[in-house]
């Protein structure tokens, strides 16, 4: 392949089925993912994980910590700090319950998959090291859904720090995919005293890497990525610090990006509005060009 763009082999068949009406689109599940940044002498680096090759969705691709909303993420009892739920609802373009659930999912999934917790004992503090055995037991209980995030925060006397997140972009999985997500991408800085680790059972490798270096490896075909991942990496490259990216987040456009596919004679044209680099022309029965 010319680059590392993830492209499932069953897409052409599914695109044709969608076009002829034999495929009914799956309703996308709400999800959140976090581009966790930290500053280095060479500029900010972002935390990425490589999904196991055995994963049904995007196996082998590099991505950020994230996942689907838990039905309990909209629990009204959750301890909360930072912008109000109403503010987040307006920013994300959803109602207040959904806004809380999306922000909660972003914080929860970052803890579940990277061991980093954007929460503290007070509205202006953040917990330190979270690698102890008791923390790990709680993290595993969250992953197993034996413990809700609201219960976890309440047990430890912590408040979720929504002010440590910046909403960056929103992508919706194409209508012809069998697994669909309506995903909000956030940026956050690694809290002082915390460190990442590969806590996800879905990943076989994690790295801290400069966005420009990750994008260059994608261009060479060395790193496999889905379009939203490489697009956001390119968007992060102009920022010289993690703080600069967070400062820029409130002005980012959150209009959803949704791929379009249509039949053009004996080929399929696949495109993502506003992202011409991902356009594919797929001959009937052939590989994308």
């Amino acid at each position: 392949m010319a680059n590392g763009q993830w492209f499932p082999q069953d897409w052409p068949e599914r695109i044709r089925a969608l076009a002829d009406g034999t495929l009914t689109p799956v309703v996308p599940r709400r999800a959140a993912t976090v581009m966790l940044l930290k500053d280095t002498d060479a500029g900010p680096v972002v935390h990425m994980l490589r999904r196991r090759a055995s994963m049904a969705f995007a196996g082998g691709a590099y991505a950020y910590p994230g996942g689907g909303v838990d039905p309990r993420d909209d629990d009204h009892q959750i301890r909360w700090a930072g912008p109000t739920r109403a503010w987040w609802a307006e920013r994300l373009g959803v109602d207040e319950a959904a806004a809380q659930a999306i922000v909660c999912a972003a914080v929860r999934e970052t803890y579940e998959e990277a061991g980093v917790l954007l929460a503290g004992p007070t509205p202006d503090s953040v917990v330190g090291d979270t690698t102890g055995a008791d923390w790990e037991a709680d993290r595993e209980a969250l992953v197993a859904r034996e413990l809700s995030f609201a219960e976890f925060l309440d047990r430890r006397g912590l408040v979720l720090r929504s002010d440590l997140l910046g909403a960056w972009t929103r992508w919706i999985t194409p209508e012809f995919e069998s697994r669909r997500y309506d995903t909000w991408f956030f940026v956050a800085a690694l809290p002082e005293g915390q460190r990442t680790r590969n806590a996800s059972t879905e990943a076989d490798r994690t790295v801290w890497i400069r966005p420009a270096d990750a994008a260059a490896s994608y261009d060479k075909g060395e790193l496999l990525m889905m379009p939203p991942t490489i697009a956001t990496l390119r968007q992060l490259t102009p920022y010289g610090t993690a703080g600069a990216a967070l400062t820029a987040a409130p002005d980012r456009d959150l209009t959803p990006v949704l791929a379009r596919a249509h039949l053009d004679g004996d080929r399929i044209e696949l495109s993502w509005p506003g992202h011409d680099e991902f356009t594919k022309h797929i001959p009937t029965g052939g590989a994308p060009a």
Side-chain angles (χ1 to χ4, degrees):
M1 58 187 171
N3 56 35
Q5 183 174 343
W6 177 70
F7 188 86
Q9 294 303 306
D10 65 346
W11 271 14
E13 180 181 352
R14 297 185 65 85
I15 290 170
R16 286 190 290 271
L18 181 66
D20 65 25
T22 59
L23 175 67
T24 301
V26 175
V27 176
R29 179 187 177 190
R30 284 176 174 158
T33 190
V34 177
M35 299 178 287
L36 192 62
L37 303 169
K38 71 175 180 180
D39 292 321
T40 71
D41 291 341
V45 290
V46 62
H47 180 70
M48 303 189 75
L49 52 84
R50 184 176 65 188
R51 293 174 59 81
R52 294 185 183 278
S54 59
M55 296 297 296
F57 183 81
Y62 279 78
Y64 312 113
V69 167
D70 183 313
R72 298 171 295 177
D73 284 337
D74 65 357
D75 187 331
H76 292 299
Q77 302 305 311
I78 195 166
R79 295 169 178 260
W80 187 275
T84 65
R85 293 163 176 81
W87 184 93
W88 278 108
E90 181 176 359
R91 177 71 181 117
L92 301 180
V94 296
D95 61 36
E96 290 189 29
Q100 175 184 298
I102 293 162
V103 171
C104 187
V107 176
R108 176 180 51 73
E109 287 285 343
T110 302
Y111 181 55
E112 289 181 10
E113 296 201 338
V116 171
L117 183 58
L118 303 177
T122 64
D124 57 358
S125 65
V126 187
V127 296
D129 183 38
T130 61
T131 59
D134 58 331
W135 285 101
E136 182 61 15
D138 279 351
R139 191 197 66 78
E140 291 179 351
L142 285 169
V143 172
R145 300 296 181 259
E146 297 167 353
L147 182 69
S148 74
F149 200 57
E151 292 168 338
F152 164 73
L153 294 176
D154 186 62
R155 173 187 296 180
R156 289 187 170 272
L158 300 174
V159 293
L160 180 152
R161 291 285 306 275
S162 76
D163 56 315
L164 299 182
L165 289 170
W168 191 261
T169 190
R170 178 183 178 186
W171 286 64
I172 302 177
T173 309
E175 291 182 328
F176 46 81
E177 245 297 332
S178 58
R179 293 174 177 82
R180 300 190 66 212
Y181 299 92
D182 184 353
T183 306
W184 281 261
F185 286 69
F186 296 85
V187 289
L190 179 69
E192 185 176 353
Q194 294 192 40
R195 61 179 187 266
T196 58
R197 63 187 188 280
N198 184 7
S200 173
T201 58
E202 299 180 354
D204 60 10
R205 184 187 184 213
T206 62
V207 296
W208 282 101
I209 188 169
R210 292 175 61 242
D213 291 341
S217 293
Y218 165 90
D219 290 335
K220 296 174 185 176
E222 296 170 351
L223 297 184
L224 181 68
M225 298 180 201
M226 293 175 282
T229 310
I230 180 58
T232 48
L233 284 170
R234 297 200 198 283
Q235 292 161 358
L236 287 172
T237 55
Y239 299 99
T241 65
L246 279 163
T247 298
D251 295 324
R252 295 276 309 169
D253 182 9
L254 295 185
T255 301
V257 179
L258 175 63
R260 297 173 180 168
H262 71 271
L263 297 175
D264 181 16
D266 61 352
R267 67 178 184 173
I268 298 166
E269 182 177 278
L270 178 60
S271 63
W272 279 259
H275 300 272
D276 292 343
E277 73 165 295
F278 304 129
T279 298
K280 296 283 188 184
H281 296 95
I282 312 162
T284 300

